[in-house]
Amino acid sequence: MALGPHGIAGLHGGGLDEEEAIVAPVAEINVTPLVDVMLVLLIIFMVAAPMMLAGVPLDLPKAGSSAVVRQEKPLIVSVTREGNVHLAGDVVANGALKARLDSLRAEHGDAMVHVRGDRGVDYGRMMSVLAALGEAGFARVSLIGEARPAAGS
C-alpha cells in the first residue's frame, strides 16, 4: 500500500486523488462517565431527600419560663372532640365558618389567633379550620396546648 500526501493508504495501490485523501473525523461522545456521574447524583438525592422532609429528630429542652404577656387580646378558635368550631365563644356551623372568619378579619384586622383543639379531634378537621383561617387572611396563628407540669411539683 502506498501512502498518500496525508499519510493515508490508497485503496487502488497508486496515487490518491484529493477527494480520497480527505476522511471525515469520527465524532463520538463517550457517555459512560456522564452516566456514572448521573447515577451517583441520583443516589445522593435519594439518600438525602428523606432527611430533608422528615427533619432531624431532636430531644428539645422544656422551658420553665413564664408565659409571655401580650398587649392585644387574641381571637380564640376552639375545636371540640366532635369537630364543632367555637369562635369567640359562639358555635359556628361548618358552612358559615369562612364567612364568619372574613367578618372577624374585617373587624379585628391582623389579630393574633389562638387555635385550641381537643386531643381527640380528627386531623383533617383541624387542617380544614387552619386552612379557613389562612384563606381569611389571618397570618398570626398559634396552636395552644397545655403546659407540662414541672418535674418537682
Side-chain angles (χ1 to χ4, degrees), residues 32-77:
T32 305
L34 175 68
V35 171
D36 290 344
V37 169
M38 292 315 238
L39 287 175
V40 168
L41 288 175
L42 177 67
I43 291 170
I44 289 171
F45 284 119
M46 287 173 56
V47 170
M51 289 183 217
M52 290 185 283
L53 295 177
V56 178
L58 298 175
D59 185 18
L60 297 175
K62 306 293 184 257
S65 63
S66 62
V68 177
V69 179
R70 302 261 181 210
Q71 276 87 21
E72 64 184 69
K73 186 174 180 184
L75 175 67
I76 306 291
V77 178

Side-chain angles (χ1 to χ4, degrees), residues 65-119:
S65 63
S66 62
V68 177
V69 179
R70 302 261 181 210
Q71 276 87 21
E72 64 184 69
K73 186 174 180 184
L75 175 67
I76 306 291
V77 178
S78 301
V79 184
T80 63
R81 183 178 294 264
E82 295 79 27
N84 298 328
V85 177
H86 295 260
L87 252 159
D90 300 328
V91 179
V92 179
N94 288 339
L97 179 62
K98 175 77 168 96
R100 180 70 193 270
L101 286 173
D102 288 336
S103 67
L104 286 172
R105 170 81 169 139
E107 180 183 333
H108 294 285
D110 190 26
M112 174 67 106
V113 179
H114 288 180
V115 179
R116 299 173 60 232
D118 192 275
R119 184 185 307 258

